[in-house]
Amino acid sequence: MSGRTRKDGPFPHDLRNLLTTISTVLPQSLPKTAAYLLPAASITALGHPNLLGPLFTDVLAFLPERSSKKISLQLRDVLLKQWTLIGIPLVVTAVSSLASAEKASGIEFPSGLSSKYSKDDSLAPSEAISNRGEKFMRKLYQSNLEPILSTWGSHEADFTWLEKSVIYGLFLSDHEVLSEVETELVIMSSIMAQGLKGPTLWHVRGLRRLGISKKDVEEAIKIVVECARYLGHGDKDWVSWVAEVDGEV
C-alpha cells in the first residue's frame, strides 16, 4: 500500500488498490462499468467529492483499454443523476474535481451543452417526459409505489409530480448514457452511502426486479461497504439489508 496522500486527506492506500479490490468481487452479471460507477457514486455520496478526479485518473491507469471520453461522459451522467439524490453542493464539487483531473491528464474533451439538453423543449416536464419517469418508477416499485406516495399526506400531489416529471422523468429514467441497471446501481449506492435504510431497500428491491440475483446485489453492496471503509467510515452492516426484501421481489 502506497500511503499516497490525496487532496482531501491521507488514506491507507490509493484508489487503484481500491479498484483492484472491487474488481475481485464484482459479479459477472453486473456491467463491468460498475467497477468504477459504484465507487464514483459512493465516494461522492459519502462526502468526499474531491476524490472523483483522482478516481478518474486511476480508472484510466487501471483500465487503459477503456475510452477516456466514454468514462468521462459516464461519470458526468452519474453526477447529473446524483444531484437529485445527494444535493448540488457535493455534486458541483465533484464536477470541479473531475474537470481538474481531466485537464491534468492532457486529454481534451469537447465542451458545450449535451445534445439532449439543447432542444428547446428538452427540460420541459412534458407528458412524454412524465410518462417515461412513471414507467421506470413502476418498473422498480411495482405495487409498492402507491403505498410510498400515500405517506406524503397533503404534500403527495406536488412531490409525486416532482418524482415523475423531474427526478425520474428528466434524469433517472434517461438511459442514453447509463443503462437501467447502471442507473439503479448509482441510485442504490448513493442512498445507501447516506445510511437511509428505507429508500435503500426500495432500490435493493429495484435491482432484484431488474434481474440481479440476491447474491450479486449483496456483492454490489460489499463494494459500497469497502468504499466506506476506505474513507474511514468503518464497517457498515448494509449487506444484511438485502434479505429484508426477499418476499417482495
Side-chain angles (χ1 to χ4, degrees):
M1 295 184 181
S2 69
R4 190 195 318 187
T5 299
R6 296 297 195 182
K7 287 186 177 181
D8 67 345
F11 294 102
H13 51 91
D14 68 29
L15 286 162
R16 273 173 289 186
N17 282 334
L18 178 64
L19 291 168
T20 299
T21 300
I22 289 170
S23 70
T24 63
V25 299
L26 186 70
Q28 290 188 348
S29 72
L30 296 183
K32 292 183 179 180
T33 54
Y36 51 89
L37 296 178
L38 277 169
S42 298
I43 64 177
T44 304
L46 285 162
H48 300 270
N50 283 324
L51 279 177
L52 189 64
L55 177 69
F56 172 75
T57 300
D58 285 346
V59 167
L60 294 185
F62 190 74
L63 300 169
E65 74 282 3
R66 289 194 173 266
S67 162
S68 57
K69 179 182 177 183
K70 186 170 184 178
I71 293 171
S72 173
L73 291 175
Q74 289 170 331
L75 294 180
R76 176 197 296 179
D77 207 53
V78 168
L79 296 176
L80 285 168
K81 288 172 167 54
Q82 268 196 313
W83 81 264
T84 70
L85 304 168
I86 66 175
I88 277 293
L90 285 171
V91 166
V92 294
T93 304
V95 170
S96 295
S97 176
L98 177 60
S100 177
E102 291 175 351
K103 183 177 180 181
S105 73
I107 305 171
E108 293 189 7
F109 298 92
S111 59
L113 190 63
S114 297
S115 60
K116 61 185 174 184
Y117 297 135
S118 62
K119 302 171 186 176
D120 291 339
D121 61 348
S122 62
L123 293 182
S126 63
E127 183 178 357
I129 289 292
S130 297
N131 288 343
R132 184 180 75 176
E134 182 172 5
K135 181 178 179 180
F136 189 44
M137 287 179 74
R138 291 197 177 279
K139 189 169 189 176
L140 300 177
Y141 292 84
Q142 297 182 15
S143 63
N144 305 106
L145 183 58
E146 273 69 25
I148 292 171
L149 301 182
S150 69
T151 65
W152 298 342
S154 64
H155 312 291
E156 180 178 347
D158 282 357
F159 280 85
T160 296
W161 171 84
L162 181 67
E163 288 276 355
K164 291 180 179 179
S165 299
V166 181
I167 296 174
Y168 277 86
L170 288 174
F171 296 100
L172 301 185
S173 68
D174 172 15
H175 302 136
E176 183 178 317
V177 176
L178 299 182
S179 69
E180 287 185 344
V181 170
E182 288 171 329
T183 294
E184 188 66 342
L185 288 169
V186 168
I187 297 170
M188 183 198 70
S189 57
S190 297
I191 297 173
M192 178 172 283
Q194 298 173 75
L196 300 170
K197 185 176 182 180
T200 297
L201 291 179
W202 302 344
H203 295 284
V204 168
R205 193 167 51 213
L207 277 169
R208 297 293 310 281
R209 289 170 175 171
L210 291 179
I212 307 302
S213 70
K214 176 183 178 180
K215 181 180 182 297
D216 287 354
V217 172
E218 289 174 338
E219 294 301 318
I221 292 173
K222 287 179 184 178
I223 292 172
V224 185
V225 171
E226 181 62 27
C227 291
R229 184 185 297 119
Y230 164 79
L231 293 168
H233 292 261
D235 290 320
K236 302 294 183 181
D237 189 30
W238 293 333
V239 177
S240 66
W241 293 359
V242 179
E244 297 189 28
V245 300
D246 272 354
E248 303 174 26
V249 176

